[in-house]
Structures are given as C-alpha cells and as structure tokens.
Amino acid sequence: MDTIFALSSGRPPAGIAVIRVSGANAGTALQALAGPLPPPRKAVVRHLFAADGLILDQAMVLWLPGPHTVTGEDIAELHLHGGRAVVAGVESALAAVEALRPAVAGEFTRRAFLNGRIDLAQAEGLADLLAAETEIQRRCAMAMAEGEFSVLVSHWQEELLLLSASIEAVLDFSDEDDVAALPAAFGDRLADLSADLEGWLKKPGAEKLKDGFRVVLSGPPNVGKSTLFNALVGEEAAITSPLAGTTRDVLSASVALEGIPFQFIDTAGLHAAPRDVVEEIGIARAQKVVGDADVVLWLGEEGQGPSESWEVAARADCDDFVAKPSARHTVSAQSGLGVDHLRQDLVAHARQVLPKPGDAALSSWQKQCLRDASDMLCAAKTEHDPLLISERLRLARAAFDRLTGRAGTEDMLDALFGRFCIGK
Ligand SMILES: Nc1nc2c(ncn2[C@@H]2O[C@H](COP(=O)(O)OP(=O)(O)OP(=O)(O)O)[C@@H](O)[C@H]2O)c(=O)[nH]1
Ligand SMILES: [Mg+2]
C-alpha cells in the first residue's frame, strides 16, 4: 500500500498546519525532511529541509511507529508554521519521497478501518463529529465515534454466536430421526435479544439530528408568518410587508436553539384564489413542506390548519388582533411578547423527538442492518426445525457483519469515507 500524506488541519494561513504521513515509508519521509528519526512519541523541534538542502521551516515533528497508531500504520506528523508557502513547500518535498502520494478524502480513516483500529459505526460517528454544528450533534456523534454502540453490537454478536453454537450442538448430536431438544433457555434468550434490537429500532435516528427539527410557519397571507420566522431565527432573513402575498417561495433557515438543531421554514400565504401562476406554485410548495414538518405553527383562523398543528395567535399587539381561544401560544413578533415561551416549547418538544444528548443515534443504513437482523430473529423464534433456526441465525449474524463493516460492500465504504475531507 502507498504511503499517503495530507494537510490534516484547516486551510492555511493558520497559526499551525499539521501534515500527516501514514504508511510503510513514513519513517523514510521523516528522515528525508528532518534527519534521524526522533524517539517514538516524543515531540521534537527540527528544521525541515527540501531535497536541494534549503530550509523549509522549523517544525515540531512526531514519529509514531505502528501498529498502535490511529491508522494502524507508521505515522509521521509535522506541525508547521501555517503559511501557504510553508505548507506547499513541505508538501512538494514529501511528494518527492519515494512511494509517497497525496491522500484522497477520508483515506486515513479508511486505513484505520481496514487495519481494524475502528469499525464502521465508529467511522460513521467520526464523520458526524466532523460535521457536528450543535452540542447535541457533537455529543451523539461522540457516543458513536467512541465506540459505545460498537460495544453493544459486539455483545449482540457474542450472544448470537452462543445461540448459534447451541443450535449447532443440537444438530451435531442428533441423528436424522431423533432431533435433540433445544436448551430450555434458548427461546427466552432469543426473545431478549430480539427485544433489545426492537428497542434500538424505535429510538430516534441520526438523520433528524443532521437535518434539524423542522418547524413550518403556515397560514393565510399577511398574518405575520415571516415576521415571526425572523424573530425565531434571530435575523431579518425574510422580507415582510403590509402587502398580502409578500412571501412567494419557501424560505428556510437553520439555527441552533439551546444546542438543538432547528430548521425553520417560512412559506407563502395560503388562499383559495391565487392571483397568478407564481403564487399558485408558492402555495403548492407551502403545502408540500407542511407535509414534511415536525411541527406546523398555524397562524390562520382557529381550526383551519393542518391536523396536529400548533395554534398560534400572532400580532397580539395589533388593534385588529383576534384572540384564539385554544391558542397554544399568543405572540407578538414585533414586541417579542410570547416569542421566548414559544421557543422554549419548541425546544422541549424537539428534545422528546431527537436522540438524547450522548445517545448513539443510528443512521438509516445502520437501522436497516438492525432491522434485517431483527427480522431474522423473529423468523427464528417461530421455527421449530433446528436446521432452519440455524440458517436464520446465520443470516442475522451476516446482518451484524454488514453493520460493523466485516461484510461491507465497496460502494457503501466509498460512500461513507467520501464524507470525510482530505487529511482525515
Ligand atoms: N404590530 C405588529 N405588526 C406585525 C406583527 N407581525 C407582523 N406584523 C406586520 O404585519 C404585516 C404582515 O407581516 P408578514 O410577516 O409579512 O406576514 P406574512 O404572513 O408573512 O405575509 P405573506 O408573506 O404575504 O403571506 C407586516 O406589515 C408586518 O410588519 C406583530 O407582531 N405586530
Ligand atoms: Mg411572508
């Protein structure tokens, strides 16, 4: 395998730039630039030289021989001054070393996976951690990256293996006419495992965490949707005006409230007789996003909104304000009255629906693998023939192998590792 290198820190210029080299020739590369190898895992300051003997930089270098490294391979780390020319100079000096080449996106993490340093669930968590923008996203991604879920999966795998072993024993010791009985606890253990998986399948998934909790503002024209939208997102993102039909398209803004990701969506005012084709399209779009909402804030006449929408009585400070007897919230986006209360209610509601902070949240493919395993366990529960039970358990084991990546397809690996940046 080639030795790879990449800038692992942010885009220069920056205070420091970290270049990582991983692979069998990492030591050679370090010697070519910085002289004799320093003691393992000790940071030392060295001058780095180009092939023609010119000094490139004074850097802190680290020599991390494998296999106990993040990739499982020999690693050299160069902590440079983070200027563009410094980084470019060191990169060309490394490219000149034999068998070294620039890494592609996610290649370091992919090697960590291939060398068994992390499993797929952890790689997925790491990708989410790098993409995390809110506190809850960070904590859930950490749980996955730190391997909490992986530990659970290996418990499930062990249990499944034990169940499979007891079935195999029955098969081995029975002759064709006389099939020995299964151990008494077999059915209970199968049911427990199956219940565990079902419990995880019911938990909120990671997708919601990535996209944010979707709140759609809906109602007829001119009821104050855009003004409330602006108040909720904390900036003048939407145009507001006394003219009915000001908002014509769907507008969305992502914000974090108390560390929870939200997506607020403002829509065109709904009314029965659109004045032109643009308004007609706007209304169709508004209706579509209402269908995908986690919560709809209905600012129109009471009882006229989509089912389960929250009745909001807006423009409470206006002379022509009409109260709603069953309003969940009464607000004035202009004076701020009730807006904080509405925000708190949304946060509390989102907390119920999103994964708990620090819980490993499963992506849809992880859920699919668990679903496959769970289906096989349910099928095994209803079988009586040990041969068929054994086959169902084998298929459940295969589903777990897909989950940890032991039986991953190349496409899936490409899709996952492509989410990383170069240098990770
Ligand atoms: N006094 C007062 N005026 C408000 C309040 N909210 C909105 N308005 C005014 O009401 C008018 C309509 O507000 P918008 O937010 O544009 O209403 P909309 O529902 O988005 O309207 P369309 O985009 O046309 O569907 C504007 O002139 C706002 O300034 C409020 O809480 N108090
Ligand atoms: Mg509007």
Side-chain angles (χ1 to χ4, degrees):
M1 219 187 277
D2 292 338
T3 297
I4 52 173
F5 66 90
L7 178 67
S8 288
S9 53
R11 183 193 291 264
I16 299 174
V18 179
I19 291 185
R20 273 204 297 194
V21 187
S22 178
N25 272 16
T28 315
L30 187 55
Q31 288 173 71
L33 269 72
L37 287 181
R41 289 163 228 286
K42 282 244 155 56
V44 298
V45 175
R46 290 276 174 86
H47 277 117
L48 302 185
F49 294 92
D52 59 10
L54 272 180
I55 293 182
L56 292 166
D57 192 19
Q58 191 183 40
M60 189 179 84
V61 302
L62 280 162
W63 166 233
L64 308 164
H68 299 296
T69 59
V70 68
T71 56
E73 303 175 326
D74 288 350
I75 288 185
E77 259 185 34
L78 310 170
H79 296 232
L80 316 169
H81 291 100
R84 278 194 194 95
V86 178
V87 172
V90 172
E91 281 181 333
S92 26
L94 286 171
V97 177
E98 202 192 328
L100 254 67
R101 66 163 170 82
V104 298
E107 206 171 2
F108 287 90
T109 314
R110 191 171 189 141
R111 288 191 175 191
F113 165 70
L114 291 175
N115 291 322
R117 302 294 293 167
I118 55 171
D119 67 15
L120 266 199
Q122 288 170 288
E124 185 102 12
L126 214 50
D128 289 345
L129 191 58
L130 295 182
E133 288 183 349
T134 66
E135 177 66 7
I136 187 172
Q137 287 168 339
R138 181 187 70 74
R139 289 182 60 184
C140 292
M142 273 295 270
M144 190 62 84
E146 294 273 285
E148 269 174 42
F149 182 65
S150 306
V151 169
L152 196 60
V153 173
S154 53
H155 282 317
W156 288 335
Q157 281 176 312
E158 269 170 38
E159 179 65 4
L160 194 51
L161 216 54
L162 290 174
L163 290 171
S164 296
S166 57
I167 281 279
E168 299 305 325
V170 169
L171 287 170
D172 282 351
F173 293 110
S174 61
D175 57 43
E176 285 190 7
D177 303 323
D178 176 27
V179 176
L182 280 166
F186 184 87
D188 292 345
R189 285 172 61 187
L190 197 57
D192 284 350
L193 182 56
S194 173
D196 249 12
L197 299 193
E198 283 302 320
W200 271 83
L201 282 167
K202 286 203 191 91
K203 290 190 184 203
E207 271 73 20
K208 184 97 299 208
L209 206 54
K210 282 181 198 145
D211 302 342
F213 186 83
R214 285 164 69 88
V215 180
V216 174
L217 291 102
S218 183
N222 234 11
V223 291
K225 300 182 296 299
S226 300
T227 311
L228 182 58
F229 170 79
N230 288 345
L232 287 167
V233 305
E235 59 172 318
E236 294 299 304
I239 301 173
T240 61
S241 88
L243 301 174
T246 302
T247 308
R248 312 200 89 188
D249 212 336
V250 168
L251 255 158
S252 115
S254 299
V255 286
L257 301 180
E258 300 193 10
I260 297 195
F262 276 90
Q263 199 184 2
F264 285 100
I265 297 160
D266 184 23
T267 58
L270 305 170
H271 58 114
R275 286 166 305 183
D276 56 44
V277 64
V278 180
E279 207 164 76
E280 203 176 309
I281 297 170
I283 291 173
R285 289 188 178 185
Q287 280 159 340
K288 183 171 180 301
V289 293
V290 160
D292 299 333
D294 292 303
V295 160
V296 176
L297 302 181
W298 175 252
L299 278 69
E301 210 179 306
E302 191 166 305
Q304 301 299 305
S307 63
E308 301 200 16
S309 52
W310 293 10
E311 295 285 356
V312 176
R315 305 169 86 238
D317 61 309
C318 292
D319 297 336
D320 58 353
F321 170 67
V322 188
K324 289 185 178 184
S326 70
R328 179 159 175 153
H329 289 277
T330 297
V331 299
S332 160
Q334 207 136 48
S335 73
L337 171 98
V339 176
D340 254 350
H341 192 231
L342 169 59
R343 222 181 260 128
Q344 290 306 323
D345 195 6
L346 286 169
V347 167
H349 197 72
R351 278 196 216 280
Q352 310 276 317
V353 180
L354 293 179
K356 303 275 163 283
D359 255 12
L362 307 188
S363 68
S364 54
W365 78 260
Q366 287 172 324
K367 280 201 166 188
Q368 189 52 54
C369 296
L370 272 199
R371 162 73 37 223
D372 293 346
S374 173
D375 286 351
M376 283 304 125
L377 294 184
C378 288
K381 274 193 290 190
T382 59
E383 292 292 353
H384 298 291
D385 180 347
L387 209 57
L388 291 179
I389 299 177
S390 150
E391 176 58 10
R392 302 281 185 265
L393 296 188
R394 189 187 66 75
L395 291 173
R397 289 206 310 276
F400 279 130
D401 285 347
R402 284 199 296 283
L403 188 63
T404 56
R406 253 191 256 164
T409 63
E410 277 304 301
D411 294 1
M412 202 259 295
L413 297 182
D414 285 345
L416 170 59
F417 292 108
R419 287 179 59 199
F420 287 88
C421 44
I422 292 171
K424 185 67 195 169

